[in-house]
Amino acid sequence: MIQAVFLFPKGFLWGTATAAHQVEGRNENNTWRLWEEEPDRIHNGEKAGLACDWWGGRWREDLDRAAKAGQNAHRLSVEWSRVQPAPDRWDEGALDFYRQILRELVNRGMTPVVTLHHFTDPIWFAEKGGWESDDSPALFSVYANKTVEALKEYCNLWVTINEPNVYVSGGYLGGGFPPGKNNLKTAFGVFANLLRGHASAYRGIHKVQPTARVGVAHHVRGFEPARPWFPADRWIVNVLHANFNNAFPGALQDGRFRFAFRSMSVPEASGAQDFFGLNYYTAEQAAFAPFAKDDFFAKRFFPHGADLSPTGFIANRPDAFYKAMRWAERFKLPIVITENGVEDAQDTLRPRYLLQHVHQVWRALNNSWPIKGYFHWSLIDNFEWERGWGQRFGLWGLDRETRARIHRKSVDLYAAICKENGISSEMTEKYAPEVFSKLFPE
Ligand code: FCB
């Protein structure tokens, strides 16, 4: 049997990603807390509640485990509603909380990446109209500057906004996020304000910290024509890709927000990105559906025989991850894989998903594409938004009753990857022999 190691460049960042509302617990002052109180919004009526109790201090043991498991980086987010509980009030204690986490990460030899906005908004901000309001970019930027000023001693890698496309489709195109609207015109306005908010924060952060590297975590989904021979399917795939994947990063390149049927100029966005944050999970097929107006004339699905996660949320498609990196490379920026992972409580799919996706990063690096790090989603099971606690994305599991941390075998696999700085035939044989011949063909 072949014996080989696919090595990564020295200094490659290996980490996991988390987000404030999903792990902290006791977030009382943001839009999701209110959303969770409304009937039928969240799967089984679940709430973030205490979550993983990071606010109560359990971040320390989780990050200890991450460090011991060889991770040299971690991506986390700051909860805006904690730092700025009211428009005219800063909570220095909250900033201290984050400062302490970052300090301890650095002490453990881990590089922090900090996200400033990960889906949640302060209630006061929502009451002012949220991202629909033209004041939102400036309000966000003030918070971003304040936070970076407070944390800059320990971090210079910033993600302003996580997945603007998911935020907009979730909240404004009927996708199950607050504020639960479904209006295309409003959605465009919000998307544009997120872009302006990012651009304004981008410039502000550079003033506060000239060495800062600032980006966005772009959610990129693979879309493929269900019937490749059928022009209408190819056309709808192009429309989906243009609107969902390409519009936001495209505007950060040249200041032009280009959707399939409309475009607008946001000149201040041009060049406002130092690295390309890529969140990739899966790819799906799309068929042109002339009567599906509410679904933007596209029927989307995973094909028969797909290697699906337990709740059918994700199909294991490492080849589409490679394509996503090829597309991201065209933006000519360093790339950080800011999220990638799979929900799998039993941890049967995760080992092969992990190995196959990391293998694609290695292939990408062999083309000299500038991939700088990989952040697995997630360190520990956490609150999965409108899907509640039903999806288990953690390397470590979480017992919801006792809050005990559950060791999954993927912990050891990812530790082996981080420590080896690559993937080996040996670990593949041990953790996912079913894909051995794919990764190490004779
Ligand atoms: C991404 C989100 C992250 C998590 C994963 C599974 O879209 O950024 O918070 O929910 O999906």
Side-chain angles (χ1 to χ4, degrees):
M1 195 180 285
I2 288 179
Q3 288 209 323
V5 181
F6 298 140
L7 269 186
F8 278 60
K10 220 172 145 218
F12 191 82
L13 297 179
W14 293 108
T16 52
T18 55
H21 189 73
Q22 296 180 269
V23 293
E24 285 178 357
R26 297 190 184 92
N27 265 311
E28 302 292 335
N29 204 9
N30 70 27
T31 42
W32 272 85
R33 203 269 292 169
L34 297 183
W35 193 242
E36 289 156 31
E37 278 167 12
E38 289 186 21
D40 303 326
R41 293 301 192 189
I42 316 288
H43 170 77
N44 284 339
E46 288 162 353
K47 295 182 169 42
L50 266 183
C52 309
D53 201 17
W54 277 28
W55 189 249
R58 295 195 69 172
W59 58 269
R60 189 174 269 115
E61 56 172 284
D62 287 333
L63 294 175
D64 266 341
R65 283 190 196 94
K68 281 202 193 92
Q71 297 174 33
N72 63 8
H74 184 73
R75 172 176 174 230
L76 56 86
S77 84
V78 169
E79 173 60 37
W80 182 0
S81 65
R82 288 198 195 275
V83 168
Q84 192 176 12
D88 54 355
R89 201 153 58 79
W90 300 105
D91 185 335
E92 296 296 335
L95 285 167
D96 274 342
F97 169 82
Y98 294 111
R99 196 156 35 225
Q100 196 181 351
I101 298 184
L102 298 187
R103 191 189 309 121
E104 295 207 15
L105 277 173
V106 172
N107 287 343
R108 287 164 172 78
M110 296 167 83
T111 301
V113 176
V114 172
T115 307
L116 296 165
H117 184 279
H118 197 124
F119 293 165
T120 54
D121 294 304
I123 292 172
W124 64 261
F125 176 80
E127 284 170 352
K128 284 180 187 286
W131 290 96
E132 288 172 56
S133 158
D134 289 338
D135 295 334
S136 55
L139 291 170
F140 173 67
S141 185
V142 170
Y143 148 72
N145 291 352
K146 171 83 180 176
T147 304
V148 170
E149 181 66 56
L151 305 181
K152 66 180 181 191
E153 192 180 342
Y154 302 107
C155 179
N156 73 345
L157 287 168
W158 308 96
V159 170
T160 53
I161 298 174
N162 180 70
E163 301 187 341
N165 54 353
V166 172
Y167 179 90
V168 169
S169 50
Y172 295 89
L173 295 172
F177 279 20
K181 297 191 178 176
N182 195 355
N183 182 312
L184 195 55
K185 190 160 175 278
T186 314
F188 276 124
V190 169
F191 218 13
N193 279 336
L194 288 164
L195 182 63
R196 293 189 188 102
H198 161 79
S200 171
Y202 175 88
R203 307 213 190 278
I205 294 171
H206 277 282
K207 282 203 189 100
V208 174
Q209 188 189 40
T211 59
R213 313 305 291 150
V214 186
V216 168
H218 301 284
H219 183 105
V220 178
R221 203 170 172 91
F223 298 113
E224 293 159 357
R227 296 156 292 186
W229 45 268
F230 189 40
D233 285 3
R234 296 202 301 271
W235 175 77
I236 202 71
V237 159
N238 288 339
V239 169
L240 288 167
H241 178 72
N243 290 348
F244 192 74
N245 293 335
N246 208 71
F248 208 90
L252 291 175
Q253 206 172 22
D254 62 8
R256 188 116 210 124
F257 220 164
R258 271 186 217 83
F259 298 97
F261 303 105
R262 100 182 243 191
S263 87
M264 62 182 125
S265 171
V266 184
E268 68 268 35
S270 170
Q273 186 168 233
D274 303 322
F275 66 89
F276 193 106
L278 178 64
N279 290 4
Y280 170 87
Y281 288 89
T282 195
E284 62 191 0
Q285 297 196 343
F288 178 60
F291 303 112
K293 185 166 170 289
D294 287 349
D295 296 325
F296 300 100
F297 308 107
K299 191 171 174 295
R300 299 188 283 123
F301 53 89
F302 295 127
H304 285 300
D307 187 14
L308 288 184
S309 65
T311 69
F313 190 61
I314 285 171
N316 178 23
R317 287 293 310 278
D319 55 325
F321 183 31
Y322 181 80
K323 286 190 191 142
M325 289 185 280
R326 184 173 63 199
W327 161 78
E329 190 270 333
R330 296 195 191 118
F331 291 89
K332 296 296 164 213
L333 291 167
I335 298 168
V336 179
I337 308 305
T338 33
E339 285 179 31
N340 171 248
V342 68
E343 46 99 8
D344 182 15
Q346 300 305 320
D347 208 31
T348 46
L349 165 59
R350 188 177 291 101
R352 71 172 170 276
Y353 181 100
L354 179 55
L355 277 165
Q356 289 183 284
H357 284 74
V358 170
H359 176 232
Q360 298 299 328
V361 178
W362 178 80
R363 283 186 65 207
L365 283 161
N366 276 295
N367 301 333
S368 300
W369 300 348
I371 323 265
K372 303 297 176 190
Y374 173 89
F375 291 81
H376 191 77
W377 186 275
S378 181
L379 177 56
I380 178 167
D381 289 345
N382 56 51
F383 178 72
E384 271 302 329
W385 309 111
E386 84 284 16
R387 289 156 276 124
W389 291 94
Q391 294 184 339
R392 302 302 182 118
F393 276 90
L395 292 176
W396 273 272
L398 178 78
D399 180 318
R400 283 271 289 136
E401 299 298 312
T402 63
R403 248 168 290 283
R405 275 52 179 166
I406 302 160
H407 185 104
R408 295 192 171 124
K409 66 176 178 297
S410 285
V411 167
D412 300 329
L413 168 59
Y414 194 50
I417 293 173
C418 298
K419 289 177 184 169
E420 181 90 50
N421 196 28
I423 50 183
S424 68
S425 47
E426 202 183 312
M427 64 180 82
T428 307
E429 176 60 24
K430 179 163 176 197
Y431 293 100
E434 71 276 21
V435 293
F436 189 91
S437 61
K438 287 193 175 146
L439 266 57
F440 300 94
E442 288 286 345

